[in-house]
Amino acid sequence: MVIKVSYIHVRDVLEGGYDGQKVHLRGWVHRIRKQKKMVFVLLRDPSGVVQTVIKKAAVRDEQYADAEKMLIESLVTIAGIVKADERAEGGYEVQVEDFNVLHFAEDFPITEDQSIEFLNDNRHLWMRSRSLTNILKVRDEVFNSAREYLRGQGFYETTSPMFVSTMGEEGAELFEVEYFGKKVYLTQTSQMHLEPQLFAMEKVFILAPSFRAEKSRTRKHLTEFWHLEVEEAWCDHECNLKRQEELVSYMCHSVANNRKYELAELKVDPKRLLAVNPPFDRMTYSEAIETCQKGGIEIKWGDDIRSEAEEFLTKESDNFLFVEYYPKEIKSFYMKDNPEDPRTYKNSDLLGPRGFGEVIGGSERETDAQLIIDNLNRIGDDPEKYKWYIDIRRYGSVQHSGFGVGMDRLITWMLNLEHIRDCIPFPRTVSRIFP
Ligand code: 4AD
Ligand code: MG
């Protein structure tokens, strides 16, 4: 006869509902401390760690022998009685009555005080650490809440190809791929293939990787990052900014409300996230340049706003900041002309608080096929290559806007992480493609 056991999670124990009761747990040996007549095991599962104690007198001899010989990361099942105990991390201890080692781990290569390089070389093992586990669970919430918000607003989730034949943003940052003897690229943005889809569905989004062959070795650059791209018909520049404010606030609140334990363990105050609410601050590009100049930063109208200037603009503020109406020369050809200042497009970058820098880029899109052709000619690109993209402006061209959220950057900001690679399971940077 097979006896079916109901396993609970560590979190259920730590929440206090099982004090004095017998429970069944399963997971990995996070830490182990061996004494003469007892072995203390910190048991880990996705929900947390709990102290368990295996006393020689309480279990069978062979079970105790197993406990004495097992190493960290061994896989175990445990049955025992929960006891409130102030000395134990989390306030509870499980006194083991029965336990089995399902897999004896080999000597785990990760020990305390190892270099970041070593930990990243062992990312496949390091991700079971409490910090990475918590971060990945927050990441899940961010992805899920974006979908939840957008679907709730009537958007359809769709997909686009990763192999493309045209550039979307900076030509210099394209990854070339050999494609049956032809040169193609890994996509830098899904926008070009998303816009045609709004003619079918009006409100659409894609959550997919974008690839950038940027040689920037900064804390904010990945070569493969996760990009949430949104396109909305019947939506102008104002509507586009409102959409971004609502989406970002929704994601921040979802993390604050649904990932309390993880935030606590990561030492992030949820108030930081609950404080994110519309309206965000706004400033035109021209005002931004003036502000930077007054602050002693060497910059002139027409220059890109690089990290130093971006940091300066928000360093005193806890609010997100939209910078609007950038010059045409430093932005992309598909953006809508700004009639109030023809040197500029109706676009925006969203900068994170306290000097964090850009997390979203967006714009109203140009609806006039000829203006897009003119823009391409002006920057020396060949409109023929974009025929399909321009075509959508020939058949019922509709006002529309969109934006792209750097999801990894947003998570980095939310959790106050030191480096963007810390928020993604297997980061890809200029210097890392392993494991
Ligand atoms: O500003 P970007 O280049 O805009 C676009 O690609 C538009 N086509 C998006 C759109 O309108 N659909 O990129 C959008 C965002 C940036 O604001 C930034 O947060 C993130 O993508 N991003 C990166 N994140 C991590 N590593 C990189 N190398 C990134 N490059 C851009
Ligand atoms: Mg940008």
Side-chain angles (χ1 to χ4, degrees):
M1 189 180 77
V2 180
I3 300 168
K4 258 199 143 176
V5 169
S6 305
Y7 290 99
I8 60 169
H9 275 117
V10 163
R11 178 62 51 203
D12 303 323
V13 172
L14 299 181
E15 279 176 349
Y18 287 88
D19 196 15
Q21 291 182 40
K22 181 165 176 172
V23 297
H24 294 270
L25 296 166
R26 57 184 170 189
W28 291 264
V29 176
H30 192 57
R31 297 268 179 281
I32 188 164
R33 188 155 48 88
K34 295 165 190 175
Q35 293 186 351
K36 243 200 178 135
K37 292 197 168 135
M38 58 183 90
V39 175
F40 288 96
V41 170
L42 267 189
L43 178 78
R44 186 191 77 241
D45 72 10
S47 71
V49 293
V50 66
Q51 176 168 303
T52 70
V53 57
I54 304 166
K55 292 185 180 150
K56 193 170 171 39
V59 294
R60 294 200 309 274
D61 286 351
E62 38 324 344
Q63 288 178 320
Y64 195 73
D66 281 353
E68 281 196 306
K69 101 175 173 216
M70 73 183 175
L71 302 175
I72 59 163
E73 296 306 323
S74 292
L75 186 68
V76 298
T77 59
I78 277 177
I81 307 292
V82 177
K83 287 269 154 67
D85 186 336
E86 281 171 10
R87 292 163 305 173
E89 187 184 328
Y92 290 90
E93 183 180 80
V94 180
Q95 304 190 335
V96 176
E97 295 183 337
D98 192 14
F99 104 109
N100 287 297
V101 182
L102 303 183
H103 182 251
F104 283 97
E106 295 176 30
D107 214 353
F108 198 56
I110 297 177
T111 55
E112 267 164 53
D113 301 324
Q114 265 155 337
S115 72
I116 289 177
E117 202 53 23
F118 181 86
L119 294 176
N120 285 323
D121 282 342
N122 287 280
R123 192 80 176 180
H124 53 297
L125 301 176
W126 176 234
M127 65 182 37
R128 47 178 92 181
S129 66
R130 286 307 298 155
S131 60
L132 266 182
T133 303
N134 286 323
I135 292 169
L136 294 179
K137 286 164 74 179
V138 169
R139 188 176 171 92
D140 159 76
E141 183 64 29
V142 172
F143 278 49
N144 183 59
S145 61
R147 292 190 158 108
E148 198 173 77
Y149 169 77
L150 289 166
R151 298 196 65 185
Q153 296 289 317
F155 283 80
Y156 294 96
E157 179 165 3
T158 183
T159 61
S160 70
M162 299 289 107
F163 288 131
V164 295
S165 53
T166 46
M167 73 165 194
E169 301 293 326
E170 282 282 310
E173 294 167 4
L174 283 168
F175 275 113
E176 275 182 27
V177 185
E178 218 312 303
Y179 193 81
F180 307 116
K182 251 179 82 178
K183 212 170 66 180
V184 302
Y185 313 106
L186 292 178
T187 197
Q188 293 177 305
T189 167
S190 298
Q191 182 192 327
M192 263 71 216
H193 293 87
L194 185 55
E195 282 180 68
Q197 303 193 49
L198 69 79
F199 289 75
M201 295 178 277
E202 281 193 356
K203 292 171 157 189
V204 284
F205 72 97
I206 287 177
L207 183 43
S210 281
F211 303 88
R212 305 271 167 112
E214 276 172 296
K215 292 240 167 65
S216 332
R217 291 169 192 271
T218 76
R219 293 161 189 272
K220 289 190 345 208
H221 286 87
L222 295 168
T223 49
E224 177 180 333
F225 69 94
W226 280 77
H227 206 171
L228 171 65
E229 302 199 71
V230 178
E231 289 292 325
E232 183 167 2
W234 314 107
C235 181
D236 65 4
H237 176 71
E238 287 301 318
C239 150
N240 198 34
L241 298 201
K242 192 154 172 281
R243 184 62 75 202
Q244 295 172 52
E245 285 173 342
E246 281 188 14
L247 170 66
V248 170
S249 304
Y250 189 95
M251 289 193 275
C252 289
H253 295 187
S254 295
V255 170
N257 294 326
N258 303 330
R259 287 291 181 267
K260 291 197 176 84
Y261 293 116
E262 291 75 11
L263 291 179
E265 286 192 17
L266 293 165
K267 301 197 169 42
V268 175
D269 186 349
K271 284 200 210 99
R272 164 192 176 79
L273 302 174
L274 292 169
V276 178
N277 285 301
F280 294 168
D281 292 333
R282 289 167 73 157
M283 185 184 268
T284 65
Y285 166 87
S286 299
E287 286 164 350
I289 294 297
E290 261 176 52
T291 308
C292 289
Q293 285 170 340
K294 280 188 198 142
I297 291 173
E298 218 177 285
I299 194 167
K300 58 179 188 315
W301 204 97
D303 290 348
D304 204 354
I305 300 187
R306 304 210 174 273
S307 337
E308 190 202 0
E310 271 184 358
E311 276 163 32
F312 179 76
L313 290 172
T314 57
K315 73 178 192 309
E316 304 294 340
S317 169
D318 285 320
N319 201 0
F320 280 82
L321 169 70
F322 283 116
V323 179
E324 313 166 82
Y325 311 123
Y326 284 75
K328 293 180 175 175
E329 275 62 35
I330 56 171
K331 292 289 176 187
S332 302
F333 64 91
Y334 52 72
M335 295 180 174
K336 179 89 180 159
D337 260 25
N338 177 18
E340 285 175 19
D341 181 352
R343 301 173 299 170
T344 66
Y345 288 130
K346 285 190 173 183
N347 56 14
S348 58
D349 275 3
L350 182 65
L351 311 185
R354 298 271 160 201
F356 184 80
E358 182 186 345
V359 288
I360 301 186
S363 71
E364 189 171 332
R365 315 307 191 191
E366 185 50 71
T367 45
D368 185 323
Q370 191 54 48
L371 288 182
I372 294 190
I373 293 169
D374 294 347
N375 288 340
L376 283 166
N377 284 328
R378 179 169 47 79
I379 61 172
D381 211 338
D382 177 10
E384 198 46 41
K385 284 196 299 194
Y386 297 85
K387 187 185 167 306
W388 61 276
Y389 179 72
I390 297 164
D391 238 13
I392 59 175
R393 273 82 179 168
R394 299 191 194 282
Y395 310 99
S397 195
V398 65
Q399 179 177 50
H400 65 283
S401 299
F403 56 89
V405 186
M407 295 294 263
D408 317 281
R409 283 203 188 158
L410 186 59
I411 297 164
T412 303
W413 176 79
M414 283 182 178
L415 297 180
N416 222 350
L417 299 176
E418 239 172 68
H419 199 293
I420 193 168
R421 67 166 171 244
D422 293 334
C423 81
I424 183 164
F426 291 101
R428 294 292 177 250
T429 64
V430 180
S431 51
R432 178 158 300 279
I433 193 91
F434 175 91

